[in-house]
Amino acid sequence: MAGASRLEPPNPPENRIRPLLLIGPPGAGKGTQSRAIGKAFNIAEISTGEMLRDALRHGTDLGNSLQSTMESGRLVPDAVVSSLVEHRTAEPDSQLGFIVDGFPRNVNQAEFLDRLLSSRRQPPALALLISVNRDQLMKRLAGRRECPVCRTAYNIYLNPPQRDDLCDHEGNGLIQRPDDRPDAVVRRLEEYERQTMPVIAHYRNAGQLEEVDGNGTAADVTAAILRILKDR
Ligand code: AMP
């Protein structure tokens, strides 16, 4: 939990890249970019939403206690996600660097992360803000589907499967995340504006923010991020 004693990662190597944080509204493509950048640098890809959904799928006590909060599009308690991030970033594959998608989502979480990195004598994080216009966001969220077996992502408007509603690889029926339904999407966008937008100011004021235009294709956005990282 947030106040628990710090986990100390083993002897950090000198040549790691600074921790990267992806910030942006739901539907901005943070998950896609996290996977692309994680692979490009061979660093750990950390998604708090994915870790929480795993807990839900496995029916753990944690998952069961958070299910209704997550499905309605609200944020889960800071102590829960902060603890997940503290443990995950102490694992061996995070020691050369890591990219986080979905954390921090509010200023309290950002301050927790800043303290954690400084207590571990790690470099300060670099936040990458992915901006996408509202129309594009709504299309991405409303059209998003995934295969429940191999987790391949589709979009029925922008990247449809070959056969309607069926996974190209598994042939399974595609599913919609409960929090991609319209009422939950509205709540997630509200949570973003109220809680996460102040995180942008937090990192901007600290000189730790870069902005990326997220309206292009996934490959365009990855290329833009890689250009920024070359200069930082
Ligand atoms: P995501 O996949 O990042 O959109 O996250 C899905 C859901 O998990 C969110 O709507 C929240 O309920 C929860 N969640 C993920 N990350 C956080 C976080 N950093 N703080 C609070 N709740 C989170």
Side-chain angles (χ1 to χ4, degrees):
M1 292 294 141
S5 64
R6 298 267 180 260
L7 293 173
E8 292 304 333
N11 300 325
E14 291 304 317
N15 62 345
R16 67 172 155 219
I17 78 163
R18 66 195 287 194
L20 302 173
L21 313 174
L22 289 175
I23 301 186
K30 300 186 296 296
T32 305
Q33 295 308 323
S34 175
R35 286 187 286 277
I37 301 298
K39 273 195 192 73
F41 289 101
N42 198 21
I43 54 176
E45 301 152 32
I46 302 177
S47 160
T48 45
E50 220 23 78
M51 285 193 273
L52 292 164
R53 279 188 291 279
D54 256 357
L56 240 66
R57 280 195 284 271
H58 290 107
T60 63
D61 289 347
L62 175 69
N64 293 337
S65 70
L66 301 175
Q67 182 159 14
S68 62
T69 305
M70 286 179 64
E71 292 190 349
S72 67
R74 287 190 306 270
L75 296 187
V76 309
D78 290 346
V80 171
V81 275
S82 297
S83 168
L84 288 176
V85 168
E86 179 174 4
H87 284 80
R88 183 65 187 83
T89 54
E91 285 177 19
D93 70 333
S94 298
Q95 303 319 307
L96 282 180
F98 54 85
I99 181 161
V100 191
D101 147 30
F103 183 96
R105 285 278 235 285
N106 61 29
V107 171
N108 188 37
Q109 294 178 12
E111 289 173 350
F112 172 84
L113 184 69
D114 295 348
R115 285 195 303 275
L116 181 69
L117 295 175
S118 121
S119 75
R120 288 174 173 171
R121 294 183 302 283
Q122 291 182 346
L126 178 67
L128 298 161
L129 169 63
I130 306 182
S131 311
V132 176
N133 69 48
R134 191 90 177 190
D135 283 357
Q136 178 76 348
L137 272 189
M138 296 315 281
K139 220 181 223 171
R140 290 188 191 176
L141 289 165
R144 187 151 73 175
R145 302 287 184 278
E146 70 175 13
C147 171
V149 177
C150 66
R151 312 235 80 86
T152 300
Y154 298 88
N155 187 296
I156 56 172
Y157 307 119
L158 307 168
N159 169 33
Q162 284 158 15
R163 287 173 299 157
D164 271 358
D165 289 324
L166 297 178
C167 177
D168 293 346
H169 310 294
E170 309 287 336
N172 269 83
L174 301 181
I175 54 168
Q176 183 177 40
R177 271 169 49 174
D179 62 351
D180 278 344
R181 295 189 189 125
D183 52 331
V185 163
V186 169
R187 181 141 331 103
R188 287 163 69 206
L189 288 168
E190 277 168 13
E191 291 280 60
Y192 176 75
E193 280 168 21
R194 195 167 57 85
Q195 304 224 46
T196 310
M197 289 188 59
V199 174
I200 300 170
H202 172 88
Y203 286 117
R204 183 178 283 125
N205 294 340
Q208 290 172 243
L209 185 85
E210 291 282 354
E211 293 187 47
V212 186
D213 177 358
N215 290 295
T217 65
D220 290 342
V221 181
T222 305
I225 295 176
L226 291 174
R227 274 195 299 278
I228 290 172
L229 296 179
K230 232 163 92 195
D231 299 333
R232 295 283 305 215

